[in-house]
Amino acid sequence: MRSVAVSSGWGICLALLSIASAWAGGQGALDTSFFGTGRQVVSFDPTEAEQAIGVVALPDGKTLAASAIQSGLNQTIALARFRDNGAADTLFGNSGIVRINLPVAYWREMKVGGDGKIVVVGTVVNSGSDYDMIVIRLLPDGSFDSTFAPGLFAGVTTVGFTSTGPTSYDYGEAVEIQNDGKIVVVGSATAPQFGVAVVRLNVNGSLDTSFSGDGKLWVPVDLNGGATAQGSSVTLAPAFIGTGDILVAGNAKYGTTGDRDFVILRVKPTGVLDTTFSGDGIATIAFDLGGNNVDLADSISVPITNDAILVAGSAADGASTSRSVVAKLKLDGSLDTTFASTGKLSFGIAGQPTGYDGVVKVLAAFDGRVTMASRSTVFAVTRLLPNGSFDPSYGDGSAGLGQVAHAFFSNVPEVSQATCMTVDAQGRLLVAGFVDANDIDTGVMRLVGDRIFANGFQTTP
C-alpha cells in the first residue's frame, strides 16, 4: 500500500555546518552566500544510507534535491527544497522536506519539467525475478499528480518489456522531459538479452505509440559476442541536431570477458535509430586503460550551439581503481580529434588518492567549454577548454589546474562523493551526492560561478 509521509522537519535531520571557507572566492570556490558555507548536509533518515539522485535549480532561485534512502532491501525517496540563501524552504512539505514512502528496488534519477512537476524514475520488483521500470510524477509541492496514470495508484506507472526467458529485468536509469511534457526514460531490458531500453510516455503517463509503434524501443548491442548492453544517461538534442532527437549513453559488454565499452545511441523522434550517426545509429568508444577494461558511460551532453556530443564516465585502470574519462564526438558519431588529440581524455583529481573515480555529470557550455563533476573522496569538479586542455581560469587552489575539490568537514574523517550536478541561471554550479562521516547523508554544495556560463549550459530544450 502506498503512503506519503512528511518528515518532522530539519531538526535533528539537518547538520548545520559552521566551518568557514578557507579558500579564495574564485570560480569553483564554495559560494558562501549559500547557507554561509556553500555546503549543506541533510540527514533524511539517521538510521539509513542515502545519496542524491537529482539536483535542480528552480526558476525562482530555489534548489530542489532528491535522495534515494536505503530501507532494508528497498529504497524510498526524500525531497528537500532550499531557498536561494541555502535555508530550508518552509513552504515545501514539513519545514522544507517531503518523504515519499514508496519502496522500490532502486530510485535512479529526478528531473523537473517546465511546469514545475517532479519526475522520478527507478526499478520496481513485481515478484520474484520480474523487474519493471517505475515512473512517478509529483506536483511542485511533492504530492502525487493525480493526472498522471490516473487510477488506483495515480501518479505512478510501471513499464515492462517482453521477455522470452524465466526472468525479466527491465531497469529504469535516467529520465528527460520534453518541452511538450512527454517523458523519456532510458535503461535496460531483457528481451531476451540485455539491451538498451528507451521508453516515451505521454503527458498522462500512457505509452506514446507514436514512438517505436508501442512507446518502447529495445536495442541489442553485440560487441564481439558480448550481447549485453544498458543505457545509463539521456539528453534531448538541440534543434541543430534534429528537433526531438534523443541521445542515449550507456555501456556494452565486449566479448566474453569483463571488458565493457561506451555505447552511444541517437534515436529519431519516431523511435528508430538515426543511421546518419555512425552508420547504424550506434557508436562505441573504448578507453581500455587497464585492469579489466571496464569503461562505463554515466553522462551525455550536447552544447546548445556547438556541433559536438560529449560523453563521460569512468574507465578501469587497475584491478580496483578507475579514472574519470570524457570523449567528444562529431555529429556523425566519429571521435573529434581536435579534442585532446584523440577525442578522448582520462584524468584524476589532483591531490586526491587514487580510487574508484569517474565522471557522474558532464555539462557543455555554449562556447565549447566542458564542466564535469567526478566521484572522488570529496566533491570534485573539472573544467576543460574546447580543445580538451584544463581551463587555467577555473579553480581556487583546492586542486590542480582547472579543478576544485571540496570536503564538507575539516575536523572529522569523511568520504564524500558527487552523484549529480546542474547549473543555475547565474552560472553557479549545484553539486549533490552523499557524505559519509558518522553516517551516510545527503550533501549539497553551491560553487561560485562564471557568468559567461550563465544560461549557457546545455539544458533540456
Side-chain angles (χ1 to χ4, degrees):
M1 180 177 181
R2 186 190 68 190
S3 63
V4 180
V6 181
S7 84
S8 58
W10 298 98
I12 61 169
C13 295
L14 183 61
L16 302 179
L17 304 177
S18 58
I19 310 164
S21 175
W23 298 308
Q27 294 177 36
L30 289 163
D31 178 3
T32 56
S33 70
F34 184 77
F35 206 65
T37 62
R39 47 200 165 184
Q40 273 253 29
V41 176
V42 181
S43 180
F44 292 110
D45 190 328
T47 66
E48 303 288 359
E50 56 194 70
Q51 74 172 27
I53 58 170
V55 60
V56 176
L58 300 175
D60 60 2
K62 295 177 181 179
T63 298
L64 181 70
S67 281
I69 302 172
Q70 197 69 40
S71 301
L73 298 178
N74 297 312
Q75 290 184 350
T76 58
I77 314 169
L79 304 169
R81 198 165 74 191
F82 310 94
R83 298 202 299 267
D84 184 64
N85 64 3
D89 179 7
T90 55
L91 299 178
F92 182 75
N94 190 337
S95 299
I97 291 178
V98 171
R99 285 289 302 270
I100 301 172
N101 291 325
L102 178 59
V104 303
Y106 314 102
W107 288 112
R108 283 297 191 241
E109 188 168 36
M110 178 273 291
K111 291 286 177 68
V112 176
D115 57 3
K117 293 182 179 180
I118 304 162
V119 176
V120 189
V121 301
T123 302
V124 64
V125 182
N126 287 325
S127 62
S129 298
D130 181 16
Y131 291 70
D132 283 345
M133 296 177 174
I134 184 169
V135 184
I136 67 171
R137 193 169 71 197
L138 310 173
L139 297 175
D141 65 3
S143 61
F144 282 93
D145 181 0
S146 61
T147 68
F148 183 77
L152 182 60
F153 296 106
V156 181
T157 191
T158 61
V159 181
F161 284 69
T162 302
S163 175
T164 59
T167 58
S168 177
Y169 298 102
D170 306 328
Y171 298 139
E173 298 289 339
V175 64
E176 275 291 6
I177 306 168
Q178 297 183 173
N179 271 347
D180 58 7
K182 292 183 179 181
I183 297 169
V184 178
V185 181
V186 162
S188 59
T190 50
Q193 70 198 52
F194 265 115
V196 177
V198 185
V199 171
R200 194 165 71 194
L201 303 177
N202 290 312
V203 176
N204 65 2
S206 62
L207 287 164
D208 178 7
T209 55
S210 69
F211 181 81
S212 192
D214 60 358
K216 300 182 287 187
L217 174 66
W218 177 76
V219 183
V221 181
D222 191 335
L223 301 182
N224 195 34
T228 298
Q230 62 187 49
S232 56
S233 181
V234 59
T235 192
L236 304 177
F240 71 81
I241 289 185
T243 302
D245 280 9
I246 299 166
L247 293 166
V248 179
N251 66 85
K253 186 176 180 181
Y254 184 90
T256 57
T257 65
D259 191 330
R260 286 181 177 268
D261 294 340
F262 280 21
V263 61
I264 303 95
L265 279 61
R266 184 165 143 189
V267 182
K268 293 183 177 181
T270 55
V272 298
L273 292 171
D274 186 344
T275 55
T276 67
F277 183 76
S278 197
D280 59 0
I282 304 171
T284 60
I285 302 171
F287 288 87
D288 291 349
L289 301 182
N292 51 8
N293 288 330
V294 172
D295 305 332
L296 304 177
D298 286 311
S299 184
I300 186 167
S301 181
V302 181
I304 292 174
T305 58
N306 194 22
D307 292 354
I309 299 168
L310 292 158
V311 189
S314 63
D317 66 343
S320 57
T321 59
S322 61
R323 290 174 64 80
S324 292
V325 293
V326 60
K328 186 176 182 180
L329 301 177
K330 299 178 182 179
L331 297 187
D332 63 5
S334 62
L335 286 167
D336 181 353
T337 55
T338 67
F339 181 82
S341 75
T342 63
K344 302 183 292 184
L345 176 71
S346 69
F347 62 93
I349 305 300
Q352 300 302 313
T354 301
Y356 182 54
D357 292 357
V359 176
V360 297
K361 184 67 176 181
V362 57
L363 295 173
F366 71 94
D367 66 352
R369 285 194 277 179
V370 181
T371 300
M372 295 169 286
S374 287
R375 287 190 308 265
S376 186
T377 54
V378 295
F379 279 25
V381 174
T382 299
R383 180 170 289 170
L384 306 176
L385 297 174
N387 64 4
S389 61
F390 291 94
D391 184 352
S393 71
Y394 189 78
D396 63 349
S398 60
L401 185 71
Q403 296 181 328
V404 295
H406 298 309
F408 279 83
F409 301 101
S410 61
N411 57 348
V412 295
E414 143 193 358
V415 173
S416 55
Q417 289 190 353
T419 55
C420 45
M421 178 176 68
T422 192
V423 64
D424 70 8
Q426 298 183 52
R428 300 173 301 191
L429 292 177
L430 291 158
V431 189
F434 71 83
V435 182
D436 185 358
N438 295 320
D439 57 358
I440 303 176
D441 296 324
T442 300
V444 180
M445 283 186 180
R446 192 168 75 193
L447 307 182
V448 173
D450 176 354
R451 286 192 177 274
I452 292 175
F453 286 81
N455 294 314
F457 281 97
Q458 178 246 344
T459 56
T460 303

